Amino acid sequence: DIQMTQSPSTLSASAGDRVTITCRASQSINRWLAWYQQKEGKAPKLLIYEASTLESGVPSRFSGSGSGTEFTLTIINVQPDDFGTYYCQQSYTYLYTFGQGTKLEIK
Amino acid sequence: EVQLVESGGGLVQPGGSLRLSCAASGFTLSHYALNWVRQSPGKGLEWVSYINWSSSAIYYADTVKGRFTVSRDNAKNGLYLQMNSLRVEDTAVYYCVREDYGMDVWGQGTTVTVAS
């Protein structure tokens, strides 16, 4: 199975900051990577697919980059509504796997 | 409104069985692949199973292979997960998820608790 490792595990930021979350795959997954945001008690929400394509309706302050084994999710001008846990997920193989999550706390 | 609604969760003893259902509305189910994803209390997301639009391609996580069976009925706009030989570690919220470009539509989840 392909292992997905996110860093950091937790992140604290103030409104207006720029934050970056990294996701590493244990083998190349080309650009078959998605990012999700989950708030407590709610279902996850798709933010980005195919590494860098923004899902419809997602604010442009979110962006994704990377290919192969290393990927990043960047949020510029962080807003209070951006708190929650972020997950990456590979779809290169049908044994899909998620990263362990990065919790973003707003100061 | 595009929506997925899960049902069938509950409390079951170890070794027992449960069948989850997922009802789709607002879109044509047969056009999409579907997944089950679960989340144990306080833990991260775990992909459980995938089924393509025609049921010709089905995959399972190693943790549930041989115990869980996914199926769909496009005519009834339904997705199902038959869970047998349940274990304590299967305790989780189970989400029904549509897959298009990414997992783009999620249900609200149904809670499965395996305990004696």
Side-chain angles (χ1 to χ4, degrees):
Chain A
D1 294 6
I2 298 175
Q3 307 303 314
M4 307 301 293
T5 304
Q6 290 181 231
S7 61
S9 296
T10 59
L11 190 54
S12 185
S14 299
D17 283 354
R18 172 189 176 114
V19 300
T20 297
I21 299 169
T22 297
C23 178
R24 290 186 173 87
S26 60
Q27 67 181 73
S28 176
I29 58 170
N30 291 337
R31 293 177 59 83
W32 295 106
L33 186 100
W35 290 96
Y36 303 86
Q37 176 196 59
Q38 186 180 32
K39 299 198 174 183
E40 191 71 33
K42 301 294 186 182
K45 172 187 173 184
L46 175 65
L47 300 175
I48 287 168
Y49 60 90
E50 293 177 4
S52 61
T53 304
L54 204 64
E55 172 72 347
S56 176
V58 174
S60 58
R61 63 179 181 273
F62 291 89
S63 64
S65 65
S67 65
T69 61
E70 187 151 338
F71 302 85
T72 59
L73 172 70
T74 300
I75 313 171
I76 60 172
N77 188 23
V78 166
Q79 298 298 300
D81 189 50
D82 296 339
F83 74 92
T85 302
Y86 291 82
Y87 295 92
C88 61
Q89 175 246 330
Q90 67 82 18
S91 57
Y92 179 75
T93 69
Y94 277 114
L95 297 187
Y96 295 160
T97 42
F98 289 88
Q100 81 278 15
T102 295
K103 186 173 184 178
L104 174 61
E105 301 171 338
I106 306 298
K107 291 179 183 175
Chain B
E1 179 188 6
V2 172
Q3 197 171 356
L4 294 167
V5 178
E6 303 93 337
S7 60
L11 173 63
V12 61
Q13 292 187 337
S17 297
L18 214 53
R19 186 183 191 235
L20 305 184
S21 298
C22 173
S25 60
F27 67 99
T28 304
L29 193 76
S30 61
H31 291 179
Y32 296 92
L34 299 165
N35 294 271
W36 287 99
V37 175
R38 68 184 182 183
Q39 187 168 35
S40 299
K43 302 296 185 182
L45 301 171
E46 180 188 13
W47 171 79
V48 172
S49 182
Y50 165 97
I51 183 168
N52 76 339
W53 70 275
S54 64
S55 305
S56 61
I58 290 175
Y59 303 95
Y60 299 98
D62 290 343
T63 51
V64 307
K65 193 178 299 183
R67 301 186 298 122
F68 289 12
T69 302
V70 65
S71 62
R72 64 189 294 165
D73 185 335
N74 290 335
K76 294 183 178 179
N77 277 344
L79 173 71
Y80 311 97
L81 187 67
Q82 178 66 43
M83 304 186 295
N84 297 331
S85 303
L86 282 162
R87 305 168 180 168
V88 170
E89 54 266 34
D90 294 320
T91 294
V93 174
Y94 284 74
Y95 294 102
C96 165
V97 189
R98 187 181 86 170
E99 181 175 346
D100 190 6
Y101 292 95
M103 295 187 184
D104 67 335
V105 178
W106 295 64
Q108 86 289 350
T110 187
T111 301
V112 172
T113 303
V114 185
S116 53

